[in-house]
């Protein structure tokens, strides 16, 4: 029997602290999570489809295959499934809503990178792009450090206001809305970007010395959030150097793999330093790795079995 886990199931099952622990274990495992292929295909209009297969994590007896459709003009913009298979037999253990899994694993992995690279005392956050991924970055970051202030910018002013109110109330902090990206980051120690931008929203002159920027938008060819001048002067950490140079932040800025200081895995395993100087600008810009889907998917699957959550379905009937 296959367990079907919808968005509502996953939101009830997943806990930010437990998911952060699962992702941290994946990043610090002796062996990297691996992927056989990552395929991105453009569709008519503004849509694209992505297939990630398979995701592996040491110690988890399963693998994942994910298929996503991305349509920036739709709500939700991301639709698809994560298929969780038994590593020994190939049995389809579960199908999970990919939009939820992707938001959780991307946002919480980004929170780990943000916390590792931002100055220890940085607590004022600017969010550019008030969607599901930024929402999870904020939830994860609040588990890792004190957040003392929030400014939000989004093309949809109503969505920005709702985001600011939701997180301001949850954290008991002042939260404001800014008219544009440059205004949003003016006093921020931490910047979180999660947009569909195809040209840079921030340049070197827009951020203060010592700022940390997490950029989630440049995850496929043609997308860019940060100017080349900002990246050239920053200490840049990614999740996978070849992917960043092929389709991520380095490719978008015309920079080679050598510009990356290293990966978050290197940093969390103590193989490289994070922030070297207090006044340097740091950037964490992941593409997203398939093993992260497995780390979150397996966490949800175990919680679902323990609580009897989800719907059982027999595809072989």
């Amino acid at each position: 029997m296959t367990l079907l886990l919808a968005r509502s199931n996953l939101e009830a099952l997943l806990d930010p602290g437990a998911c952060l622990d699962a992702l941290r274990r994946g990043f610090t495992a002796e062996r990297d999570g691996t992927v056989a292929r990552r395929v991105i295909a453009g569709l008519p209009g503004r849509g694209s489809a992505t297939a990630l297969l398979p995701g592996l994590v040491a110690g988890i007896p399963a693998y994942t295959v994910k298929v996503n459709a991305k349509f920036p003009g739709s709500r939700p913009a991301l639709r698809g499934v994560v298929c969780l298979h038994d590593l020994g037999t190939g049995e389809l253990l579960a199908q999970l809503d990919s939009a939820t899994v992707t938001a959780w694993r991307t946002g919480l992995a980004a929170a780990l990178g943000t916390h590792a690279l931002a100055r220890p005392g940085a607590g004022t956050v600017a969010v550019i792009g008030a969607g599901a991924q930024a929402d999870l970055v904020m939830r994860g970051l609040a588990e890792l450090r004190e957040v003392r202030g929030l400014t939000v910018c989004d093309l949809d002013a109503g969505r920005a206001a709702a985001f600011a109110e939701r997180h301001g109330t949850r954290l008991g902090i002042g939260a404001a809305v800014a008219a544009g990206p440059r205004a949003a980051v003016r006093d921020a120690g931490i910047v979180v970007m999660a947009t569909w931008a195809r040209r840079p929203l921030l340049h070197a002159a827009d951020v203060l010395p010592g700022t940390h920027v997490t950029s989630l938008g440049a995850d496929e060819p043609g997308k860019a959030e940060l100017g080349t001048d900002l990246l050239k002067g920053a200490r840049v950490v990614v999740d996978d150097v070849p992917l960043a140079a092929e389709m991520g932040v380095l490719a978008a800025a015309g920079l080679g793999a050598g510009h990356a200081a290293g990966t978050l895995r290197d940093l969390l395993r103590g193989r490289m330093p994070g922030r070297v100087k207090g006044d340097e600008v740091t950037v964490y810009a992941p593409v997203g790795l398939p093993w992260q889907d497995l780390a979150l998917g397996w966490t949800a699957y175990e919680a679902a079995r323990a609580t009897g959550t989800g719907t059982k379905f027999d595809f072989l009937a």
Side-chain angles (χ1 to χ4, degrees), residues 68-217:
N68 275 333
K70 292 183 180 180
F71 284 80
S74 301
R75 289 290 181 269
L78 188 67
R79 302 167 191 263
V81 293
V82 174
C83 297
L84 181 70
H85 294 263
D86 184 280
L87 188 58
T89 67
E91 177 188 356
L92 182 58
L93 302 174
Q95 283 194 328
L96 304 88
D97 171 57
S98 69
T100 305
V101 172
T102 301
W104 276 73
R105 62 89 153 164
T106 303
L108 294 181
L112 288 174
T114 301
H115 178 62
L117 286 165
R119 287 177 289 115
T124 55
V125 181
V127 167
I128 301 171
Q133 291 186 358
D135 188 85
L136 267 298
V137 178
M138 287 297 300
R139 291 176 65 179
L141 197 59
E143 296 275 332
L144 300 169
R145 66 168 59 208
E146 181 186 7
V147 177
R148 298 187 298 275
L150 173 65
T151 304
V152 186
C153 171
D154 192 276
L155 290 173
D156 183 333
R159 187 162 77 153
F163 189 103
E165 180 179 5
R166 182 168 67 253
H167 287 282
T169 300
R170 182 176 63 85
L171 297 173
I173 60 173
V177 174
R182 284 184 291 180
V185 306
R186 187 174 294 136
D187 300 314
I190 295 172
V191 177
V192 176
M193 307 181 72
T195 76
W196 297 94
R198 303 188 78 81
R199 59 173 180 260
L201 300 176
L202 293 178
H203 292 274
D206 299 324
V207 300
L208 294 172
T211 300
H212 171 74
V213 181
T214 288
S215 174
L216 301 179

Side-chain angles (χ1 to χ4, degrees), residues 39-67:
V39 180
I40 300 176
L43 300 172
R46 295 193 62 195
S48 65
T50 303
L52 301 175
L53 58 153
L56 301 173
V57 176
I60 296 180
Y63 66 92
T64 51
V65 176
K66 179 168 77 173
V67 179

